[in-house]
């Protein structure tokens, strides 16, 4: 409560400044203090949108004549793609400068990319550079000509989404003085970039202030002078700041107040389209064998996780809990995602469906959905002890191990986890809740010290491979630990100690994750036949879903409160938000 009060008081202090000077605005992305706003180290959407104030890539986003965000050159003035689509050459804008006034050189892009993939940095997003070709010595096949102002990159295969990657933070240049701990990104004197704004001050769990960058290549078109980016995580604090007029943009809102907010702020509560999936993840090193019973094979434990995922009535959850226009997930790939052949893979017969009857009452007992009955029957078939029956509505398991949920209290997360916990408890599946700040939870997930958690993945670019790459064995975003060792997790058993790295996966349950999944993703990256590639993407989703390590819940929307006075804000369905050319009308 003290933290909440402190945030509100801090916000109220700047309220006068906001109204007194139209060029100064205050906003809230939610999620609290990002773990890092170093472009190479950040993995969170709130961190990405925060760092976009000060950093920029070869490509960026602009609004077209219809007000629709489109990909466009940013620090690059133009680009050329070789006839075989294997080489990209970017011509940089003349006179580019860092936000401290130092000249920017094309070779600093080479330095930045090499840093991003270095073992010393150990960036969680380093795997995204897998599309870049390598020299014989294993280094990235990239080069720069400082005199000509060009940067060249070769790819391993024609990559239709390569230009989209050039707008993603991981590929944005950082200064040569950037340290590998990300400390440089917390100090206005060292945090320099090529974006429309530059950091003026940084305060953990309070505010990051950005001021207009006079050295930005298009500074004449930037009208905002100051952006106060507040780092609140508590939904009530965020909502209150908007209601009292302190901030003009807010997300991470409490879903329980949507009706009232719609009534009090007509047209200002918007559910923006977003290309992503909210899911429950489960650490494969957690032993789900019956308590006091015989050890259960790793493959059967995967079936248990799948059954637990079917217990969630996704239709009820989006109708009565999240209430933000989301749609129930039928698989891990979200609706609207493409694969190079299909514009919306969820509408393609090539792809499977895992929760087709998530909201359909069962004929055995209408209090259960068809999916829930399937899950319960699977748990029975696996040998868990139970009493009661589905028909009687009193079935209850007694020997399923308790599962600890970790989550951060942002948006509807608490309500969602409570809903899942209540659903499980009704049939005797015990669980506990561990609430952590987002930055702390991210660290726990990276280290492997989490049994189950809420998680979401928003597309970095619109292609199915982006939703598969995060589960590569080398990916720092692979929180279920598929293909990974224990990390810091200590509640495993001897049986599950090698659950991530052992030969338990694939169609026959006898391949390592590296063999069955990493190789497939690499093949997808190299495949040029669109039909064959679509089949591979579908197979990748099937392999992932068969682990039970992810239980997709719903496909995202982006609930935001936004004042009608904000003009020309760029909001992309990949959750990218840019304030570069925003104007505030009276």
């Amino acid at each position: 409560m003290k933290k909440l009060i402190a945030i509100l008081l801090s916000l109220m202090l700047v309220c006068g400044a906001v109204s007194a000077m139209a060029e100064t605005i205050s906003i809230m992305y939610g999620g609290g203090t990002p773990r890092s706003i170093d472009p190479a180290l950040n993995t969170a959407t709130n961190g990405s949108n925060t760092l976009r104030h000060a950093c920029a890539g070869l490509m960026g986003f602009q609004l077209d004549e219809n007000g629709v965000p489109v990909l466009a050159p940013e620090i690059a003035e133009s680009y050329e793609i070789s006839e075989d689509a294997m080489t990209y050459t970017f011509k940089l804008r003349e006179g580019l400068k860092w936000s401290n006034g130092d000249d920017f050189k094309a070779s600093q892009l080479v330095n930045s990319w090499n840093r991003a993939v270095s073992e010393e940095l150990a960036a969680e997003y380093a795997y995204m550079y897998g599309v870049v070709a390598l020299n014989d010595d294993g280094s990235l096949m990239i080069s720069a000509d400082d005199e000509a102002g060009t940067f060249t990159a070769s790819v391993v295969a024609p990559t239709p989404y390569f230009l989209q990657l050039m707008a993603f933070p991981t590929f944005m240049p950082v200064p040569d003085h950037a340290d590998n701990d990300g400390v440089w990104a917390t100090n206005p004197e060292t945090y320099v970039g090529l974006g429309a704004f530059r950091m003026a001050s940084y305060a953990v769990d309070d505010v990051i202030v950005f001021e207009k960058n006079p050295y930005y290549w298009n500074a004449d078109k930037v009208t905002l002078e100051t952006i106060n980016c507040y780092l609140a995580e508590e939904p009530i604090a965020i909502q209150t700041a908007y209601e009292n007029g302190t901030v003009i943009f807010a997300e991470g809102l409490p879903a329980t107040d949507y009706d009232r907010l719609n009534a009090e702020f007509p047209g200002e509560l918007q559910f923006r389209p977003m290309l992503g999936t909210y899911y429950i993840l489960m650490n494969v090193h957690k032993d789900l064998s019956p308590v006091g019973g015989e050890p259960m094979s790793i493959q059967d434990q995967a079936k248990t996780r799948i059954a637990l995922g079917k217990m969630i009535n996704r239709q009820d959850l989006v109708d009565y809990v999240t209430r933000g226009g989301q749609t129930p997930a039928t698989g891990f790939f979200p609706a609207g995602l493409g694969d190079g052949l299909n514009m919306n893979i969820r509408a393609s017969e090539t792809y499977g469906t895992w929760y087709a009857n998530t909201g359909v009452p069962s004929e055995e007992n209408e209090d259960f959905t068809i999916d829930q009955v399937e899950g319960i029957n699977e748990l029975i078939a696996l040998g868990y002890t139970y009493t009661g029956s589905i028909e009687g509505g009193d079935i209850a398991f007694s020997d399923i191990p308790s599962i600890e949920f970790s989550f951060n209290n942002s948006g509807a997360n608490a309500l969602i986890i409570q809903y899942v916990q209540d659903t499980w408890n009704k049939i005797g599946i015990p669980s506990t809740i561990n609430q952590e700040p987002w930055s702390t939870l991210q660290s726990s997930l990276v280290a492997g010290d989490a049994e189950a958690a809420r998680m979401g993945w928003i597309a970095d670019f619109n292609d199915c491979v982006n939703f598969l790459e995060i589960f590569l064995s080398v990916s720092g975003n692979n929180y279920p630990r598929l293909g990974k060792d224990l990390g810091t997790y200590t509640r495993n058993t001897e049986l599950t100690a090698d659950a991530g790295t052992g030969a338990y996966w694939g169609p026959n349950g006898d391949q390592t994750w590296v063999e069955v999944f990493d190789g497939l993703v690499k093949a997808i990256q190299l495949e040029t036949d669109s039909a064959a590639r679509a089949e591979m993407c579908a197979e990748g989703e099937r392999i992932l879903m068969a682990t039970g390590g992810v239980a997709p819940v719903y496909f995202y929307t982006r609930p935001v409160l936004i004042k009608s006075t904000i003009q020309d804000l760029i909001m992309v369905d990949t959750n990218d938000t840019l304030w570069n050319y925003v104007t505030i009308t009276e």
Side-chain angles (χ1 to χ4, degrees):
M1 179 58 72
K2 289 182 179 179
K3 179 180 176 183
L4 174 60
I5 294 173
I7 291 173
L8 291 175
L9 289 175
S10 175
L11 291 169
M12 292 168 68
L13 287 173
V14 300
C15 199
V18 174
S19 59
M21 191 161 103
E23 295 82 5
T24 296
I25 63 169
S26 295
I27 63 176
M28 280 182 166
Y29 290 123
T33 301
R35 190 161 62 95
S36 177
I37 54 171
D38 180 325
L41 294 176
N42 171 72
T43 60
T45 54
N46 68 327
S48 175
N49 283 325
T50 300
L51 69 85
R52 284 181 183 277
H53 294 110
C55 303
L58 288 164
M59 302 292 289
F61 297 97
Q62 301 281 356
L63 295 177
D64 66 13
E65 62 275 10
N66 298 313
V68 177
V70 293
L71 196 67
E74 179 61 25
I75 66 170
E77 181 179 70
S78 61
Y79 58 86
E80 292 183 359
I81 306 174
S82 63
E83 188 173 342
D84 62 1
M86 297 289 284
T87 304
Y88 290 74
T89 301
F90 298 88
K91 172 64 176 174
L92 302 184
R93 298 183 187 278
E94 292 186 8
L96 285 174
K97 292 182 180 293
W98 293 103
S99 55
N100 63 358
D102 290 346
D103 291 336
F104 173 76
K105 298 179 180 180
S107 56
Q108 290 177 299
L109 259 170
V110 175
N111 298 342
S112 296
W113 284 28
N114 284 330
R115 170 183 180 263
V117 299
S118 66
E119 293 183 3
E120 293 78 15
L121 186 66
E124 293 161 49
Y125 261 132
Y127 65 84
M128 293 189 73
Y129 283 86
V131 299
V132 181
L134 300 179
N135 295 307
D136 291 339
D137 62 359
S139 61
L140 295 175
M141 194 176 291
I142 55 177
S143 62
D145 185 329
D146 286 335
E147 185 173 344
T150 58
F151 173 78
T152 302
S154 297
V155 294
V156 296
T159 308
Y161 53 86
F162 189 76
L163 291 177
Q164 294 184 59
L165 292 178
M166 297 303 97
F168 190 69
T170 305
F171 294 86
M172 292 179 179
V174 299
D176 292 339
H177 64 247
D179 60 82
N180 285 349
D181 295 322
V183 177
W184 75 282
T186 63
N187 185 341
E189 294 183 5
T190 56
Y191 193 60
V192 297
L194 299 170
F197 303 92
R198 61 185 181 185
M199 184 190 291
S201 65
Y202 181 102
V204 174
D205 292 337
D206 188 1
V207 62
I208 303 177
V209 178
F210 294 95
E211 62 185 14
K212 181 178 176 177
N213 173 16
Y215 302 107
Y216 180 54
W217 71 270
N218 206 17
D220 291 346
K221 299 293 179 64
V222 179
T223 60
L224 295 177
E225 292 293 336
T226 308
I227 299 178
N228 299 309
C229 188
Y230 282 93
L231 306 175
E233 184 165 9
E234 293 86 348
I236 298 300
I238 295 170
Q239 175 179 291
T240 302
Y242 188 89
E243 289 181 309
N244 65 26
T246 301
V247 299
I248 64 173
F249 174 93
E251 57 184 327
L253 306 163
T256 51
D257 276 3
Y258 285 164
D259 289 343
R260 182 181 63 80
L261 291 171
N262 258 326
E264 294 185 15
F265 301 95
E268 295 180 23
L269 177 63
Q270 301 177 12
F271 301 122
R272 295 292 187 109
M274 193 154 65
L275 195 61
T277 301
Y278 188 106
Y279 64 100
I280 302 298
L281 70 90
M282 300 184 200
N283 189 332
V284 297
H285 293 281
K286 164 71 174 179
D287 196 332
L288 293 173
S289 300
V291 176
E294 292 295 318
M296 180 181 287
S297 71
I298 300 299
Q299 294 89 341
D300 279 351
Q301 293 196 43
K303 295 177 182 178
T304 297
R305 290 189 291 269
I306 293 171
L308 293 176
K310 287 190 174 184
M311 296 302 145
I312 305 168
N313 184 331
R314 289 158 174 78
Q315 190 65 58
D316 275 1
L317 189 143
V318 299
D319 286 345
Y320 305 113
V321 180
T322 61
R323 305 173 67 242
Q326 301 92 347
T327 56
T330 54
F332 190 70
F333 294 149
L337 189 70
D339 59 13
L341 175 67
N342 302 287
M343 296 294 289
N344 178 9
I345 59 182
R346 286 273 72 97
S348 169
E349 294 181 358
T350 302
Y351 292 82
T353 299
W354 282 267
Y355 310 110
N357 298 297
T358 185
V360 181
S362 169
E363 292 183 0
E364 294 180 60
N365 185 330
E366 63 181 13
D367 290 337
F368 296 107
T369 69
I370 294 176
D371 281 354
Q372 287 173 335
V373 168
E374 288 180 358
I376 291 170
N377 283 328
E378 183 63 39
L379 294 175
I380 292 173
L382 287 166
Y384 290 105
T385 302
Y386 68 97
T387 58
S389 67
I390 295 172
E391 294 82 356
D394 58 349
I395 189 166
F397 294 93
S398 58
D399 57 356
I400 296 178
S402 180
I403 299 172
E404 181 184 81
F405 269 116
S406 297
F407 75 100
N408 62 305
N409 187 24
S410 176
N413 287 342
L415 295 174
I416 294 169
I417 296 302
Q418 185 64 58
Y419 178 86
V420 175
Q421 186 183 42
D422 288 347
T423 300
W424 284 2
N425 285 345
K426 287 177 182 176
I427 58 171
I429 302 171
S431 59
T432 58
I433 286 180
N434 175 35
Q435 181 178 324
E436 301 181 55
W438 179 223
S439 58
T440 305
L441 176 56
Q442 279 188 286
S443 297
S444 298
L445 290 167
V446 170
D449 191 20
E451 289 189 348
R454 54 70 45 186
M455 189 52 54
W457 188 257
I458 313 300
D460 301 324
F461 52 90
N462 190 342
D463 190 88
C464 64
V465 75
N466 182 232
F467 281 75
L468 297 176
E469 286 178 329
I470 60 176
F471 299 107
L472 289 169
S473 60
V474 296
S475 169
N477 296 306
N478 181 352
Y479 301 140
R481 309 295 292 181
L482 293 160
K484 288 182 171 294
D485 59 21
L486 279 168
T488 60
Y489 187 62
T490 59
R491 287 161 287 178
N492 64 287
T493 63
E494 183 177 353
L495 172 66
T496 61
D498 72 336
T501 56
Y504 302 117
W505 312 109
N508 300 316
D510 58 358
Q511 294 174 278
T512 66
W513 191 248
V514 172
E515 292 169 341
V516 72
F517 192 81
D518 287 15
L520 177 62
V521 173
K522 176 57 69 175
I524 292 171
Q525 293 171 336
L526 296 173
E527 183 57 61
T528 58
D529 181 273
S530 57
R533 190 174 187 272
E535 291 284 353
M536 291 179 181
C537 286
E539 178 65 11
E541 185 183 34
R542 286 192 289 269
I543 291 171
L544 173 65
M545 292 297 292
T547 70
V550 297
V553 177
Y554 60 75
F555 299 142
Y556 270 110
T557 57
R558 187 181 184 186
V560 297
L561 280 168
I562 180 170
K563 293 296 183 184
S564 60
T565 54
I566 299 174
Q567 302 296 314
D568 298 324
L569 177 63
I570 300 174
M571 296 182 70
V572 189
D573 62 4
T574 52
N575 203 52
D576 303 302
T577 307
L578 292 96
W579 296 82
N580 295 16
Y581 307 116
V582 162
T583 57
I584 308 299
T585 61
E586 293 297 330

